[in-house]
Amino acid sequence: MENFKFKKSFGQNFLNDVHILENIVKESNIQDNSLIIEIGPGSGALTRHIASVAKNVLAYEIDTRLEDYLDEVLSQFHNVDIIFDDFLNRNISDDIKKYQFDNIYVVANIPYYITTPIILKLIESKINFKAITLMIQKEVGERFTAKVGSRDYSSITVFLNYYFNVKKLFLVSRNSFTPKPNVDSVVISLTKNNKEFDVLDEELFFRIVRDAFQFKRKNLRNNLKKYNLEKINDVLKKYHFDLTVRAEKLSVDIFVDIANTLARK
Ligand code: SAM
C-alpha cells in the first residue's frame, strides 16, 4: 500500500486498527455456513477478518487499481470473491446465486458518499439479510438512530425503522483511518424488524413520509396540504396530536396509520 494514491472521490479511508476490525466481526454475530457481502474491501483488512468466520465472502470494489494488492493479501483465503465494479450497478440477487448458505449478512466499512444509496439498494434487493453491520459517518448514524421528537429524526429514520431495528454499536475515532478523514464514525447494525407493519400501499406511505418532512420547520397542515387533511387530522387525534404537529414528533406506526387511512379512500 506504500505508494497507493488514495482517492477521495471513492471515499477511500482505510481502517488501520485491528481491535476495531475484530470488534466489527464480533458484533456482526456471524453464524455458521454464512455468506457475507462486503462493499468496498479497500486494502482487504476487514475482508481478512470476515473471511475467517464466513463460509464465503463476496466483496464489491470499484477501484481496479486494488486488484493485484487484494489478490496478494487475500491469497490464503479461498472463500473470497471480489467483483471489481460499482456496487450500485450490480444485481445482488444474481451475484449470490452460485453460493449455498444458511444465512446472509452484510459487513462493511462503506464509502460514506453513497451511504443512503447503498442502504436503499440493500432494501430494494429484498434479500433476507440476517444482519447488516455498517461503519458510517457518525452524524449520519445519529440521524439513522434518532429517537422520535429529536432534532435528528428525519424521513430516513422513519424508513429505516419501518424495515429494521437500528442499533448503534460503537463509535470509531477518525484517528483509526488512513488517511485521516474529517469526521468520526459509528458502527451500526440493521436487523429485520419483527413488527409487521401492515402497509396497504407502500408507495403512498413513502411519499407521505417524504412530504411530511419536506420543510422541517413546517407542520403537517403545510407539508401535507395536497392530501386529505381532514382524514389526516382524524388519525392524529387518536394519538393526541393535530395538524399543527411537525413530522419529527410522529412514530412509524402513526405514519403507517395515516398512509393506510388515505389508501382506504
Ligand atoms: N473496507 C476497507 C477498510 O475498512 O479499510 C475500505 C473502506 S473505504 C471507507 C471504502 C471503499 O469502498 C474503498 O475501497 C473504495 O474504493 C470503495 N468504493 C467506493 N465506491 C464504491 C462503489 N460504488 N462500489 C464499490 N466499492 C466502492
Side-chain angles (χ1 to χ4, degrees):
M1 280 272 96
E2 260 164 40
N3 296 320
F4 185 73
K5 281 211 161 45
F6 292 93
K7 263 199 189 170
K8 231 181 170 168
S9 60
F10 284 160
Q12 288 180 337
N13 301 95
F14 295 170
L15 254 174
N16 57 29
D17 184 328
V18 83
H19 297 298
I20 291 167
L21 293 164
E22 284 169 359
N23 237 344
I24 293 174
V25 175
K26 191 176 125 228
E27 294 281 354
S28 300
N29 268 323
I30 313 292
Q31 315 275 303
D32 289 345
N33 217 22
S34 294
L35 170 64
I36 302 184
I37 306 284
E38 184 187 8
I39 302 128
S43 63
L46 181 59
T47 321
R48 289 163 63 90
H49 280 77
I50 52 188
S52 52
V53 295
K55 182 176 178 214
N56 290 101
V57 178
L58 172 61
Y60 295 90
E61 175 55 63
I62 200 170
D63 192 347
T64 48
R65 297 176 305 153
L66 290 161
E67 199 162 350
D68 291 344
Y69 184 82
L70 282 170
D71 265 355
E72 197 187 313
V73 294
L74 298 171
S75 59
Q76 70 185 99
F77 296 99
H78 302 291
N79 59 343
V80 179
D81 294 314
I82 301 183
I83 294 177
F84 285 91
D85 197 359
D86 182 340
F87 172 71
L88 297 178
N89 290 339
R90 302 297 305 187
N91 182 323
I92 321 171
S93 301
D94 283 349
D95 292 340
I96 63 173
K97 270 193 189 128
K98 64 175 187 169
Y99 299 96
Q100 283 189 330
F101 51 86
D102 291 334
N103 294 299
I104 176 165
Y105 298 79
V106 177
V107 180
N109 169 20
I110 59 173
Y112 294 175
Y113 72 104
I114 44 171
T115 299
T116 301
I118 287 174
I119 292 175
L120 293 179
K121 187 166 180 83
L122 294 172
I123 291 173
E124 280 158 16
S125 75
K126 303 244 188 271
I127 295 170
N128 195 4
F129 295 107
K130 179 116 180 162
I132 299 172
T133 309
L134 300 177
M135 168 112 75
I136 59 175
Q137 184 181 329
K138 183 173 163 240
E139 289 72 20
V140 176
E142 257 133 41
R143 233 182 307 136
F144 287 1
T145 55
K147 297 270 170 285
V148 182
S150 70
R151 193 172 46 98
D152 286 325
Y153 188 78
S154 55
S155 53
I156 187 82
T157 325
V158 178
F159 295 147
L160 286 176
N161 279 299
Y162 170 64
Y163 285 105
F164 302 114
N165 288 315
V166 188
K167 223 168 108 189
K168 212 191 277 182
L169 297 176
F170 56 91
L171 296 176
V172 179
S173 152
R174 63 192 75 188
N175 296 320
S176 305
F177 299 85
T178 312
K180 181 172 154 180
N182 296 325
V183 293
D184 292 315
S185 295
V186 64
V187 179
I188 60 161
S189 92
L190 309 175
T191 48
K192 201 136 177 248
N193 213 327
N194 299 326
K195 267 199 244 174
E196 274 303 319
F197 293 108
D198 239 336
V199 171
L200 298 173
D201 179 344
E202 223 173 57
E203 207 205 299
L204 176 66
F205 168 71
F206 286 121
R207 214 165 355 105
I208 288 174
V209 174
R210 235 179 276 124
D211 288 340
F213 282 93
Q214 195 187 7
F215 300 104
K216 271 216 104 171
R217 305 176 70 88
K218 291 194 172 174
N219 61 25
L220 285 211
R221 186 192 303 284
N222 289 306
N223 278 339
L224 296 184
K225 59 176 169 244
K226 61 180 173 207
Y227 301 90
N228 185 329
L229 286 176
E230 209 174 305
K231 284 192 171 173
I232 295 175
N233 200 31
D234 287 342
V235 177
L236 291 171
K237 272 199 263 172
K238 286 200 276 178
Y239 303 94
H240 311 290
F241 292 118
D242 59 34
L243 289 166
T244 63
V245 74
R246 285 191 193 155
E248 70 210 32
K249 296 268 186 241
L250 306 182
S251 63
V252 187
D253 314 54
I254 301 178
F255 279 113
V256 172
D257 200 347
I258 292 174
N260 284 350
T261 304
L262 295 185
R264 279 188 209 104
K265 296 255 158 62

